[in-house]
């Protein structure tokens, strides 16, 4: 299979969902610094996606922007299938996620649905087509961005906690299915990270709960993803690394 769209100095291609902002953008930059080319998926923020693409190219790596809604099966397939005819990514980071917070008793069905469809539906829509060629290539890494909310449960986030806990189950099951093909599947569970997603959270209530006493940065999470994409993690699969300052142990 031809490895087009890949630079000669590249360690391979990594597909990152939700790569235009926050943790996804930091992950794209970090993986480019590690020597990977990037397929950067985003939903709507073209301006931010273009900024990240430029930074990746300035680091000497290639970046292909893939605008699609990962919660939409047909949209995801229509973009990914033709690309997969030509190239097999070495890795996938499923990072895209949204919150629609509110108490469960009052939660509209569409807010339950949208959160689940983006995180958990996105897992199926993006990974299902990519995992087959990765298995045929007999190498590869998958990293899923879960959350402390999926581990501890968070009041006001029953939808999000369910989606993120579901991803942990999916990581462990898929890790068992594809290990024989040398494809490793792990998760990262961030705590409170300073991004657009958390800008309205009142820090005075949350910081006292964090033993390290601060919010994490998107780069803190990207560092764990980088480790899980690298040589030093080649005997690690089916695991969840907590990047949470001690918030949940
Ligand atoms: P941001 O809101 O800052 O960024 C979200 C990213 O996901 C954007 O790039 C956005 O694209 C993209 N996105 C959203 N919906 C879709 C979709 N349907 N299809 C494709 N892309 C989509 O979030 P964070 O960086 O904070 O979060 C990243 C991940 O980390 C999420 O899964 C989140 O749940 C998880 N997480 C975050 C924590 C935190 O404290 N920030 C804590 C624990 C987990 P666009 O720019 O086009 O809108």
């Amino acid at each position: 299979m031809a490895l087009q769209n890949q630079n000669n100095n590249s360690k391979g291609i990594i597909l990152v969902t939700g790569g235009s902002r926050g943790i996804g953008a930091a992950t794209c930059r970090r993986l480019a610094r590690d020597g990977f080319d990037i397929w950067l998926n985003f939903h709507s923020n073209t301006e931010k996606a273009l900024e990240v693409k430029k930074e990746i190219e300035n680091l000497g790596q290639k970046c292909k922007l893939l605008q699609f809604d990962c919660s939409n099966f047909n949209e995801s397939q229509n973009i990914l299938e033709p690309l997969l005819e030509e190239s097999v990514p070495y890795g996938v980071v499923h990072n895209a996620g949204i919150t629609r917070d509110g108490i469960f008793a009052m939660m509209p069905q569409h807010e339950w649905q949208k959160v689940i469809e983006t995180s958990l539906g996105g897992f199926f829509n993006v990974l299902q087509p990519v995992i087959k060629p990765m298995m045929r290539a007999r190498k590869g890494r998958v990293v899923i961005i879960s959350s402390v909310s999926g581990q501890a449960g968070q009041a006001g986030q029953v939808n999000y906690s369910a989606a993120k806990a579901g991803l942990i189950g999916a990581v462990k099951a898929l890790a068992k299915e594809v290990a024989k093909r040398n494809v490793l599947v792990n998760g990262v569970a961030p705590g409170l990270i300073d991004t657009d997603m958390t800008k309205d959270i009142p820090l005075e209530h949350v910081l006292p709960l964090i033993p390290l006493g601060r919010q994490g940065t998107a780069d803190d999470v990207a560092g764990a993803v980088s480790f899980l994409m690298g040589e030093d993690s080649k005997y690690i699969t089916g695991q969840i690394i907590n990047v949470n300052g001690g918030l949940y142990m």
Side-chain angles (χ1 to χ4, degrees), residues 20-21 23 43-45 69-70 95 160 164 191 193 195 198:
S20 47
R21 291 184 288 118
I23 291 169
H43 187 204
S44 54
N45 201 326
D69 175 355
C70 75
N95 158 80
Y160 183 78
K164 293 299 189 178
I193 308 299
T195 68
T198 53

Side-chain angles (χ1 to χ4, degrees), residues 17-25 40-46 48-49 66-72 94-99 114 117-119 145-149 160 164 167 188-198 201 215-216 218 221:
T17 66
S20 47
R21 291 184 288 118
I23 291 169
L40 188 163
N41 157 255
F42 68 106
H43 187 204
S44 54
N45 201 326
T46 308
K48 290 286 177 198
L66 310 179
Q67 182 170 14
F68 63 87
D69 175 355
C70 75
S71 72
N72 182 310
H94 177 42
N95 158 80
I98 56 167
T99 50
K114 194 66 201 166
E117 279 170 3
T118 304
S119 280
I145 307 299
S146 177
S147 167
V148 65
S149 300
Y160 183 78
K164 293 299 189 178
L167 285 175
V188 173
L192 182 67
I193 308 299
D194 184 10
T195 68
D196 293 345
M197 184 178 273
T198 53
I201 292 182
Q215 269 185 298
V221 183

Side-chain angles (χ1 to χ4, degrees), residues 69-214:
D69 175 355
C70 75
S71 72
N72 182 310
F73 178 77
N74 290 333
E75 251 187 61
S76 306
Q77 309 306 295
N78 290 343
I79 299 285
L80 291 173
E81 295 285 5
L83 291 172
L84 293 167
E85 298 283 313
E86 302 197 337
S87 311
V88 182
Y90 173 70
V92 179
V93 182
H94 177 42
N95 158 80
I98 56 167
T99 50
R100 294 288 183 273
D101 296 352
I103 58 167
F104 183 68
M106 309 296 285
M107 184 175 287
Q109 199 257 353
H110 66 89
E111 293 195 349
W112 168 267
Q113 206 74 23
K114 194 66 201 166
V115 169
I116 302 277
E117 279 170 3
T118 304
S119 280
L120 211 43
F123 177 94
F124 181 85
N125 299 338
V126 171
L127 269 164
Q128 215 260 349
V130 183
I131 203 78
K132 284 176 267 186
M134 283 172 76
M135 288 167 73
R136 282 196 290 271
R138 292 190 173 269
K139 61 176 181 181
R141 304 284 173 95
V142 174
V143 179
I144 300 304
I145 307 299
S146 177
S147 167
V148 65
S149 300
Q151 299 171 304
Q154 179 61 43
Q157 291 194 319
V158 174
N159 48 0
Y160 183 78
S161 302
K164 293 299 189 178
L167 285 175
I168 292 174
V171 161
K172 293 180 181 181
L174 185 62
K176 288 181 180 172
E177 282 191 13
V178 300
K180 281 200 173 67
R181 302 297 184 108
N182 193 30
V183 178
L184 280 52
V185 184
N186 291 289
V188 173
L192 182 67
I193 308 299
D194 184 10
T195 68
D196 293 345
M197 184 178 273
T198 53
K199 62 182 183 323
D200 297 327
I201 292 182
L203 290 181
E204 64 277 16
H205 296 315
V206 190
L207 290 186
L209 305 174
I210 302 174
L212 286 182
R214 67 166 176 89

